[in-house]
Amino acid sequence: MIKGRIDSLRRQSFEAAPTISIERALLTTRFYKENFGKYSIPVMRALNFRYLCEHKSIYIGENELIVGERGPFPKAVSTFPELNCHSVKDLETLNTRSMTPFKVSAEDIKVYADEVIPYWQGRSMRDRVFDHVPDEWKKAYRAGLFTEFMEQRAPGHTALDGIIYEKGMLDFKADIDKALAKLDYLNDPEALDKAEELKAMSISCDAVILFAERHAELAEKMAEEVLLDESAGKKPEELHLNKEKGKQFCKSAKKRKKDAIDERKKRRDELLKIAAVCRRVPAHRPETLWEAIQMYWFVHLGTITELNGWDAMSPGHLDQHLYPFYKKEIDKTCDSSEFADDVESSQNSAKELISCLWIKFNNHPAPPKVGVTAKESGTYNDFTNINLGGLKADGSDGTNPLSYLMLEIVDELKLLQPQSNVQISQKTPQRFLKAACNVIKKGYGYPSVFNADTVIMEQVRAGKSIEDAREGGCSGCIETGAFGKEAYILTGYLNVPKILELALNNGYDPVSRKQISLETGDPEDFNTFEDLYDAFVRQLEYIVELKIRVNNYIERMFATLSPAPFLSVVIRDCIEKGKDYYNGGPRYNTNYIQCCGIGTVTDSLSAIKKHIYEEENVSMETLLKALDSNFQGYEALRGRLWNHTPFFGNDDDAADDIMKMVYASLLKSIDGKPNTKGTIYHLNMLSTTCHVYFGKMLGATPNGRFAGKPESDGTSPSHGADRNGPTAVIKSLAKMDQSMSGGTLLNQRFLPDVLKTSEDLDKLAGLIRTYFKLQGHHIQFNVVDTETLKKAREFPDDYRNLLVRVAGYSDYFVDLDLDHQEEIINRREHQGF
Amino acid sequence: MAENVKCTIFDIKKYAIHDGPGIRTTLFFKGCPMSCIWCHNPEGISMLPEVVYDSSRCIGCGECVAICPEKALTIHSAFAMENSGNDTEDLTFFNETSDSVTEASAFVMKHSGSVTEGSVSVVKNKILCAFCGECVKRCPSTAQERVGKVFRVAELLQLIENDLPFYETSGGGVTFSGGEPLMQWKALLALLKGCKDLDIHTAVDTSGFASRDVIRRVAPYTDLFLFDLKIMDDNLHRKYTGVSNEMILSNLELLALLGASVIIRIPLIHKVNDDDKNLNACGSFLASLTGIKDVNLLPFHDFQKSKYKKFGITYRAENLSSPTESGIADAIKKLSSFGLNVNC
């Protein structure tokens, strides 16, 4: 049970409503107005960052141990007008929309309209991106063929390795000075650019040190004031109660006064400790667990203040990073005391500190998204995803006592953020997997479960060293990367079923009623399934290239106009190369396109193959008419398609071979395409919430899916198409060569009834182990019954706490829009028999 | 050849987690020589493949009527049925909320104007029906459903083998259930042998009502018997199950002598077999058998009731009830006092 400090911090975080803070926007605008043009772009960005660190409000909350907020207080979210300048209408919509609203006052909107908007109009990245893109791209984008991650958020998707626990900002500055000294202006035409970037990095280091010192000053001031604070320790309801108890009152009043003074003294000591910690980190390397956690938090805040990278920063293998500090403290207690109680109390303090960090993540909702971006990712979750377990760089098992402790924290806090996952390798002890299953069965939707061995194989296949791969893992939802060494940029989702729709309509979009793509032939003229498939592949290649062309353009815009010098400090090789995170600085540079709807497209192709070309029980003409009329008047045909077609997810090769064929085509069209950093694109099989948006943009499909309904999510089978239980789903998924991807996502819904006993959990663990033996990448579970979900939809107020797995993350069910609620209710519910 | 032996199976469940150790695949054999009034798999009683009709799924397209080679099917409008005084219970689907996607979409279609006058129901002339299954293949909404399919042993072995990685990881295997799997013992034996060749753990879930010879044949290839023990009093046993328990009890003794691994399953039904007398008799009988220690209690439930309706079989368990929580606890206590490991 959580109590005391953590309980109150948790409650505060849980109950705070997300608001918009215009402070960052105002500061940035003022700074740009005065300084734009005086410095190189990287230095300008770094100075803006320093200006923010110097002038933003500093917040230290009651009871906090780990300090620092991006906004002026918890859940006050900054905007980034230099990337996407919200209009007055945007702000009003954000204030009032029913799903993921952000409160913003009329007064703030007015200030925004007067000061922020006029400056950034036409200057923001978003305006400049949309100014440049070609018409064909706009047509395809509007038709919902793909999304673009970088149109209102910076490329991010970063997780850290252990470097920040080895080096403080002053050490990084020394490294930067060395790199500056080495620059060769004689032979290196880029030397000046590198010098500007390195100077910018150095300024960024100063900025976060300054930011920490301002916290130290405030903490010291608060420490002085806390003893003067008369109201501390009083609880009115207790006073009232005690009055009725007459005599006892005097006694307890005295005691309460003493307690209150003790409490204030205790808080004073804590505040002084906070100040000492903030004076040490991030300037120096951390020595204690407290310092290590605060170090991470300042780096996290730095990266999410500098820019709004998508996804937010992730600490990576936090259990492995913090363990040496934890062990040192436990060992010290063991050495100095023989009492088991003392050891327990040091464990509890460690747990309390880590819990404080957890709550900090939850205080930071994702920056407000609008338009298509809000649809593809409609959540407050900013996708910090903590990896537990896994392997160490040397290949040994990485599970340690903190892995278990953090699972306990996950279980107790039940927060939206941070996400957590367990990385299970063949070396992971069964006890750890079982401990994870014990949390899974509670039904919060996390931790999700990854196959560390496949995650490593994917990276080695993409050319990373085995050690770097082992230090890597999964961030965001399910995306694989070499933590602390790689910029792995997600560029957007690809609507694969929509591409089939184009092939079935000769490049014409039946939803928007416009010709938007290549003419690949009238399908009624196709004589074989292969003819049709060939048209699909030609559409696919056209759309992918269209997307990548624009990606590459935006990528260069970020590299030249909006670099991230602070982020570059903590990612390996950026300093040595003198290059920014967005400009090929990191050791590895990957771009991902996330492919959606593999289930829907497989089932649709399977239906066409069987009914049109094999059994010839329906003509292409009739099918197209049926699709066009959303099966109105074609109910029997729709039933035949839906009930008598081999579908993906049933361990049936007739369908699974088609999935393999589509997957191979996706790989062929995406994997290996060049990005702007001299490296290449890979693919992910992930949809987040985009399958709902893409489904809305898609007409009826040949698998019997009605127009506008969600597509299949991630790599999961179409909803209701898997009819042979979870083992068959896993067998089908395992036929996809997942190590060729940068991640796949499999959702499974289980009835709570299936996970009651310890034996049941063993069987769940067996199911997971089997999927991983077959080299699956990821699996996650929603353990909740349909009745509960339906009730929650009807009486949202009674189910505020109901967390469900959405995509690579969990969300509060009642915060989802009706479409997503429906979608989750319709996911196939597995029973045990 | 053994792998060409055929048998009739009415269901195959994957990720079966309550039929023995680990993750299992359970095959349900069709056909049972007993007729327990509480039977919760009525579709397993008859050995013949059947075609059943679920009106709640029917979209009234008439494709089954058109394709039936025997002309055994006719389509009736719901009003006609109602007026003619036929069983109108089938019509309640109008008010029921449908859970499955198929049902939901069928529901949508009904209201989308494709069927104008109320709704329709397909009626089968059972004498004409030849069980050819053409209607099942044709039916777009799975309202016509085949229950029971004849498989060759080789096909079933392939299906079982498909989930081999799950058995290996979890210590699972295959469970043969029913109906009564021993009733189709030749196929069962071929399957058991086939599984042993593949090194797959085997369990047989049986009523024990089979000849001694059959038990002797299958025992060497069966890693675990899930053996039902219903009622010790023979008269009551005859009353509730239709057969004597003599052969059942002696088969259990035989398995104990052979050293087979056995878990006893007792379907616990209030006022049928949860009385002290029966529990004591069970306990002392089991205690007399060497090596048989594990007992699972399966409290009676009536989830099967709707299946009876679908199969057109009279439901005879209307008056039966589940034991109470305390009744279950007492039964566990009582049986445990005989040195048995009892769980529920």
Side-chain angles (χ1 to χ4, degrees), chain A residues 704-747:
Chain A
R705 177 192 141 281
F706 289 108
K709 294 287 170 195
E711 298 176 357
S712 59
D713 67 80
T715 23
S716 314
S718 302
H719 300 143
D722 50 327
R723 295 158 189 175
N724 276 315
T727 62
V729 172
I730 280 174
K731 284 288 300 294
S732 282
L733 261 290
K735 293 174 195 172
M736 176 183 283
D737 185 357
Q738 301 189 18
S739 51
M740 301 293 279
S741 76
T744 64
L745 183 150
L746 174 58
N747 268 312

Side-chain angles (χ1 to χ4, degrees), chain A residues 18 26 42 69 91 161 201 211 272 295 326 410 427 440 443 495 497 503 538 630 644 663 672 715 730 748 758 820:
Chain A
L26 285 176
E69 289 286 326
L91 294 172
D161 61 10
M201 290 186 200
F211 186 57
L272 291 175
M295 175 81 183
Y326 172 78
V410 165
K427 293 181 185 174
I440 289 170
N495 193 347
R538 282 164 61 208
N630 197 20
H644 296 291
Y663 183 63
T715 23
I730 280 174
Q748 292 281 275
S758 167
H820 285 98

Side-chain angles (χ1 to χ4, degrees), chain A residues 3-12 59-67 222 226 232-233 235 263-264 266-268 270-271 274 290 352-353 355-357 359-360:
Chain A
K3 47 188 184 217
R5 182 198 316 274
I6 298 305
D7 184 43
S8 72
L9 287 174
R10 180 196 179 275
R11 198 161 340 129
Q12 191 190 15
Y59 171 87
I60 296 178
E62 203 182 333
N63 286 321
E64 279 192 338
L65 297 179
I66 300 300
V67 298
M222 286 170 75
V226 74
K235 288 185 183 165
E263 223 171 81
R264 276 183 268 160
K266 200 176 141 224
R267 183 60 186 158
R268 178 197 60 189
E270 281 171 5
L271 285 162
I274 288 170
W290 191 331
E352 187 174 49
L353 280 168
S355 300
C356 285
L357 174 65
I359 291 163
K360 277 290 171 194

